Every structure is written in C-alpha cells, then in structure tokens.
Amino acid sequence: MKRKWWMGKVAYQIWPKSFADANGDGIGDLEGIIGKLDYLKGLGIDIIWISPVYRSPLVDQGYDISDYYDINPVFGDLTVMDRLIAEAKKRDMYIIMDLVVNHCSDEHEWFQKAMQDPDGEYGKYFYIAEKKDGRLPCNWRSYFGGSVWEPIPGTDKYYLHSFHKKQPDLNWENPKLRKEIYRMMNWWLDRGIAGFRIDAIINIKKKLPFRDYEPDREDGLSYIGNMLEEAEGIGEFLEEMKHETFEKYDAFTVGEVFNDKPEEVVEFIGEDGHFSSKFDFAPEMCGKHGTWYEHEVVTPEMYKNAIFDSQLMVGETGFLSNIIENHDEPRGVSRFIPEGDLSETSKKALACAYFFLRGIPFIYQGQEIGMENCDFPDIASYDDISTLDEYQVCIDAGYSKEDALALAHRFSRDNARTPVQWSDEAYAGFSSHKPWIMVNPDYRKINVKSQMEDPDSVYHFYRQMIALYKNPKYHEVFAFGSFLPYLREEGNLIAYQRSFEGQTIFVLVNFSKEAKSVTLPSDQTEVLLSNSKTVDKNGDNVKLCGYQAVVLAVCE
Ligand code: GLC
Ligand code: CA
C-alpha cells in the first residue's frame, strides 16, 4: 500500500464536554483542550479526534448540529478553534473533527425552512412523507426508541429520524444537499483540520421505497438495521464525497462503520477505499444482543475471538482503528476485565492486548489512566438520551428499578462521559465549578496527577507502549507488520505475532489470575516491554504470572 502520513500514528479521542473546563462553568471547552495539548504530546499522541463542537442544542451532545459553520458558544468560538488547530500544528499534532451528516438538528436553518414549507426546496433536504391507507410509510424503529416518523405540526406529513426526533435525517438522494455538505467539509479542511471521524455514515443510504420489515418487538416496529442490510449503493455517495473533499487534502478519515461484510473491507478501507480507516467495533459488539437485559457478560475468549477475527478479516488490505472504548460505550476496563480481576496490572494487560494490533491505536480520554465505569445513584442523574430510552425498555419489560439501574451501571454511555479526572482536588481538577454531570467518586484514587507521579501507573504504561510503538527500530513492524494469532486455542491467553521484513515481535497477554507457561518458536528473544518488574524467561519458555503482559522481539 502507498505510504500515507497517518500510518503508524497514535490517536486520541476527546469528548469535549467532559475533557477540561477552562472558564469555570462546569462544561469542558476548546480553551481547556488547548491547555492540555502538552499533556497529550507528553503521552505521545499524534492525531486528536474531537467529538462535535459545532453549534448545537446538545440534545445528543453535539451529534445534533444546528450550524456546521460555527462553534457552540459553550465550547468557544472560531477564533479559539483556529488557535487550537495552530497550537496542535506547532506540536506536530493533527486535529480531526467529527463529521455528522446523516442528520442535523431540528434547529438547523434547513429544517426550520422545511417545516415552514415541506413541499419547498428545503423539504427535499429531508425525508418527508405522508401516511398511506392510514399507516406510516414504514415500521422502522429509531436507534433511540420509537418510530422513525415524527409528525410535522399543522400538516398530515411526517419526517424521518434514524436517531432522536430532534435529529432529522438528511436526504442524501438530493444532489443539492450533497453539494452543501461537501462545501462545508472543504471549508473546515481549508481551516487546517487534518480530516474527519465520520459519524453514523452507514445510515445515509436508505432502502427505498419505504416498506415494513418483520416486527422484532412488541411495539410492532423493526430495528432500522434490518433495512440497512438491504440498502445498496452507499459506495457511490462515499466515492463522490471523497473526490469532492478529502482526496484533495490528503486527509485522514475514519469511519463509524458497522455491519460491513468481509467482501466490503477493500471497498471501505483498501488502498483506494472510501476512507483511510474504520473503527473495529467487533470488541464493542461482543456479547451484545437486542437490548441491555439480553447482553451477555464478555469473557476473555469472546474478546480475543472478536479482535482476532477482525484482524484476520482485514489482514493487510487496510488499517483498522482499534479501540477498547469510546463515548458510546462503557469503560473498556470495566467491560473486558472479568469482575473481581480489575487492577492496575489487568488494566495494563488489556491495554497491551489491543494496542499492538495491526491498525491505528485510538485512546479515549481517561483510558490512559484506567478510568472505570461510574455507578450513578439513580436514573435521574443520567443525562444520555439513549440511556434513558434503554432504561425504559427494561422497565417496560418488567425489570425492577434497581435491576434496570444495575444494567445502566454496566451499559450506559454516560459511564465514559464523566469528567476526566485530572487530580484529587475538588471536581477532580476538571473545573472550578460543579460539573454538568457527576464526577466518578473514585477520582481521589484514579487521577492524572497521581498517575503521573507513580512510575508504575497505567498512565506510564501507556506512555511506554506509545514510545515502543514509535521507536524507530520497531516502528515499521508495529505500523505495517502482518498479524498472526499465536496459540489461539490456549484459553485466557491473548497472544499474537507481528512480522515485517524479517523482523518478528510477540505480544503475550495472560488474561487470567493463574500463571501460564508459553513456549515461543525461538529461544533468542529480547523483552521490550512488560507490565511487571521481572519476566521469567528461560530459553524459549516464558512463565507469565496472573495478568502479565510481555512484548518480545525475536533477535535477528
Ligand atoms: C454516533 C455517535 C453517537 C451519536 C450517534 C448519532 O453513533 O457516536 O454518539 O449518538 O452517532 O449521531
Ligand atoms: Ca467551560
């Protein structure tokens, strides 16, 4: 594959509302991000993805945009944004923004105009339809619950929303709309951003004409994904978008792509793919079925199989973006480490297991200090719309409030949305004011300051991993090397091999409390990194203690 500037880079996701608050109103902001650039540089980060900061009523925390050409005043303004881009550049870092174009906010000017005149020009920017024989155009269920159709007041018409009713879907079949989107994207690229994380993109292509699918719950509705399975032709939109925008800027793009099939890997992230990369959501989908109460507990074997299958599926066709968590998921350490086994050591083991996979490693804010899920005291303390919907689904299914709350503790997106814990001072050093959402009470124990002071902390382990990844001696093998599972059948062992031009690295992670002995194909190896002080290695044999992780290079 042709080499690109973003290959071999390490990325970090900022969810701005909870990252750092500079002006003391309890809400994170752009100035707060600027203040932490040196911290991120010190960690070793190259690319920073910032979740949406555009003007928005924040119904879905910025994933509902009312003006693509402006910054939400709670976060700052365009001048601060320009400064952030410039300050990042000064430090050889790149800013990528979130591109949310499946839908906008119902407060966007286009939608307001469409509501005034649904048959006019702006009505065609959205999906607007009428009932037929007294029935809605289709029975799709929106991601956040209920029908995708919402009545337009004063008319007999409805508009479609795949997510919340305050997030009307944009009609990508309309070339005029597409042109408007590309203009906006280029406007941002011209301002100096290095690319985009592309939100919910699979939803832009609908299977038309609208029709019902097999109902899958008592509400008579059908999961919208059932329709997406059948929708064809998204590639034409994505290719057009690429030619009109990113391609001209050599931008880095990472798609939020779910449910793609093995044969689509090339199309999406191959050398001439629609995007540079796409997230590997296989670990996030692990054990998930239907609603919260149907989810299974993720075992180390399930986790291993998920990441290994994705790695093998993609092979050297392209680069996945690897994660253990993001703003839509609970904390990775709380999810993938078996209950009772959570410790600084096991957190480092999980980190090591995913970080050296082939692809672009992404770190979500707070992950580098081992932030954990947060037990909110009651449902009223949650903010996230999707959490409130899922909770209600559990209640409607007969779950008690306590049991539904316990499920929220495990699965709510707000687990990852509590403020980053910078210190043990008031409000975890995130703000001088009471934050917009509760701070995880464990901040006195888990915070950046104490992690930085402790040379054996999770934070320092992340720094070491990044430094090793970028060490010129090994950078090529980590960035471009092939991936091969090692001793895959061995339970609770996550082990793999990365190889490039005669160089071989082994990553061995004992994902259990019990000691484990592993035999390597070579007795000439050198330890590059471990999450414990000593590595018990004898010739080709490595004895791993509980949750020990070791990275070794085969000596040449
Ligand atoms: C994506 C975002 C999520 C948002 C949704 C709707 O999945 O990551 O936070 O709610 O799209 O925009
Ligand atoms: Ca603020």
Side-chain angles (χ1 to χ4, degrees):
M1 254 177 122
K2 233 189 293 135
R3 296 268 169 118
K4 295 278 196 176
W5 66 266
W6 47 265
M7 293 175 181
K9 297 270 189 278
V10 176
Y12 189 94
Q13 180 190 355
I14 289 181
W15 198 76
K17 212 172 165 185
S18 289
F19 186 65
D21 173 24
N23 69 348
D25 61 356
I27 303 173
D29 45 48
L30 294 180
E31 205 66 72
I33 301 176
I34 295 176
K36 299 294 184 192
L37 286 177
D38 286 333
Y39 165 76
L40 295 175
K41 185 73 192 171
L43 183 60
I45 302 303
D46 306 298
I47 298 174
I48 303 170
W49 152 31
I50 304 181
S51 279
V53 288
Y54 311 87
R55 234 177 227 277
S56 156
L58 300 184
V59 169
D60 188 20
Q61 300 302 4
Y63 287 93
D64 48 321
I65 298 171
S66 55
D67 185 352
Y68 290 95
Y69 291 93
D70 204 0
I71 298 291
N72 189 328
V74 304
F75 295 133
D77 57 30
L78 284 169
T79 321
V80 195
M81 186 67 203
D82 287 342
R83 196 146 43 77
L84 170 58
I85 296 168
E87 288 295 323
K89 257 192 199 136
K90 257 193 224 165
R91 293 164 175 83
D92 282 326
M93 294 198 282
Y94 304 83
I95 300 288
I96 68 169
M97 286 182 88
D98 218 304
L99 183 73
V100 190
V101 290
N102 172 67
H103 45 267
C104 59
S105 162
D106 65 341
E107 296 180 26
H108 193 286
E109 190 191 345
W110 297 336
F111 190 72
Q112 303 275 315
K113 288 184 176 159
M115 289 304 93
Q116 276 151 26
D117 181 12
D119 296 318
E121 184 189 346
Y122 287 96
K124 297 187 183 63
Y125 276 40
F126 298 90
Y127 291 98
I128 291 178
E130 286 172 23
K131 278 190 172 169
K132 242 195 218 141
D133 309 322
R135 295 175 52 112
L136 288 170
C138 63
N139 69 341
W140 309 345
R141 182 187 308 106
S142 76
Y143 290 104
F144 296 156
S147 164
V148 294
W149 295 103
E150 185 67 19
I152 302 177
T155 71
D156 50 5
K157 295 178 199 301
Y158 293 76
Y159 70 87
L160 180 141
H161 59 92
S162 298
F163 292 86
H164 193 264
K165 64 177 180 202
K166 285 181 70 66
Q167 295 170 296
D169 280 42
L170 292 163
N171 181 0
W172 274 74
E173 304 294 336
N174 179 352
K176 233 171 156 176
L177 176 268
R178 299 205 298 274
K179 244 191 157 152
E180 285 273 16
I181 300 282
Y182 307 149
R183 184 168 75 89
M184 175 276 289
M185 292 169 67
N186 289 330
W187 187 84
W188 278 108
L189 289 162
D190 284 333
R191 272 197 120 84
I193 63 165
F196 292 103
R197 174 264 186 185
I198 300 157
D199 184 69
I201 196 69
I202 283 316
N203 297 284
I204 66 172
K205 186 77 195 182
K206 273 87 179 159
K207 173 81 182 160
L208 298 174
F210 298 118
R211 72 165 181 87
D212 283 359
Y213 287 76
E214 193 59 31
D216 48 25
R217 279 192 210 163
E218 312 247 296
D219 59 9
L221 302 176
S222 179
Y223 171 55
I224 191 167
N226 297 331
M227 170 280 293
L228 293 175
E229 288 279 312
E230 280 192 7
E232 272 168 22
I234 191 171
E236 284 155 43
F237 291 159
L238 297 181
E239 279 307 285
E240 182 184 83
M241 170 160 58
K242 181 173 95 183
H243 294 313
E244 298 291 326
T245 65
F246 343 123
E247 201 170 58
K248 302 188 226 171
Y249 295 83
D250 195 20
F252 171 65
T253 52
V254 48
E256 187 192 26
V257 178
F258 279 96
N259 303 333
D260 51 330
K261 304 171 186 80
E263 63 274 17
E264 288 170 344
V265 172
V266 184
E267 189 188 323
F268 276 87
I269 58 167
E271 176 140 31
D272 296 311
H274 308 315
F275 305 129
S276 317
S277 178
K278 69 184 186 81
F279 288 107
D280 179 19
F281 289 117
E284 304 307 324
M285 297 312 286
C286 236
K288 271 194 195 164
H289 314 275
T291 56
W292 280 354
Y293 55 82
E294 292 165 298
H295 295 351
E296 287 167 83
V297 172
V298 185
T299 65
E301 284 308 286
M302 285 161 74
Y303 175 69
K304 171 167 82 180
N305 288 330
I307 55 178
F308 281 16
D309 288 347
S310 296
Q311 289 281 308
L312 293 172
M313 178 169 106
V314 171
E316 277 151 74
T317 308
F319 294 88
L320 285 168
S321 285
N322 298 309
I323 57 168
I324 61 167
E325 65 200 40
N326 64 24
H327 66 294
D328 289 330
E329 300 293 336
R331 290 287 179 178
V333 294
S334 301
R335 177 172 208 166
F336 300 119
I337 299 171
E339 220 179 330
D341 287 3
L342 202 54
S343 68
E344 293 266 298
T345 305
S346 61
K347 287 176 183 180
K348 293 175 199 168
L350 174 63
C352 192
Y354 101 98
F355 192 86
F356 295 106
L357 293 171
R358 190 174 192 281
I360 312 284
F362 269 73
I363 299 168
Y364 177 70
Q365 65 185 34
Q367 178 188 324
E368 76 278 19
I369 57 165
M371 278 180 67
E372 299 174 10
N373 279 356
C374 176
D375 285 355
F376 289 69
D378 45 42
I379 192 65
S381 324
Y382 284 96
D383 171 90
D384 170 38
I385 42 176
S386 136
T387 299
L388 302 178
D389 167 58
E390 289 274 4
Y391 175 86
Q392 196 51 47
V393 170
C394 297
I395 296 290
D396 292 347
Y399 279 73
S400 69
K401 284 184 179 165
E402 293 70 38
D403 291 346
L405 188 65
L407 288 166
H409 288 163
R410 277 177 60 202
F411 298 115
S412 168
R413 306 199 290 184
D414 279 342
N415 278 307
R417 297 178 176 192
T418 60
V420 170
Q421 294 157 204
W422 295 101
S423 72
D424 60 2
E425 286 160 50
Y427 311 128
F430 160 77
S431 174
S432 56
H433 184 281
K434 187 173 191 292
W436 68 279
I437 194 168
M438 77 177 274
V439 174
N440 193 325
D442 68 12
Y443 75 93
R444 285 189 193 81
K445 207 176 80 210
I446 302 174
N447 62 68
V448 171
K449 186 160 173 285
S450 67
Q451 289 267 318
M452 287 180 90
E453 284 163 4
D454 172 7
D456 294 327
S457 65
V458 174
Y459 165 80
H460 281 289
F461 190 71
Y462 268 93
R463 271 194 70 191
Q464 287 164 16
M465 288 199 302
I466 298 173
L468 172 60
Y469 190 90
K470 294 193 181 178
N471 179 336
K473 207 167 153 198
Y474 306 108
H475 195 207
E476 298 253 302
V477 62
F478 285 129
F480 304 106
S482 60
F483 165 92
L484 201 65
Y486 190 63
L487 302 176
R488 182 170 180 165
E489 301 310 316
E490 176 78 32
N492 297 341
L493 176 75
I494 300 185
Y496 53 87
Q497 180 179 333
R498 302 288 318 277
S499 307
F500 187 74
E501 294 183 350
Q503 210 176 11
T504 298
I505 303 270
F506 281 93
V507 176
L508 310 177
V509 180
N510 177 3
F511 223 87
S512 75
K513 275 191 291 225
E514 286 74 47
K516 229 176 231 313
S517 162
V518 176
T519 306
L520 292 171
S522 163
D523 56 8
Q524 300 290 313
T525 55
E526 181 197 348
V527 174
L528 304 181
L529 179 73
S530 171
N531 63 348
S532 55
K533 289 235 154 57
T534 53
V535 177
D536 185 355
K537 184 166 78 86
N538 200 340
D540 61 2
N541 185 265
V542 188
K543 284 204 172 58
L544 300 168
C545 40
Y547 285 103
Q548 186 169 18
V550 187
V551 182
L552 306 110
V554 175
C555 303
E556 285 154 67

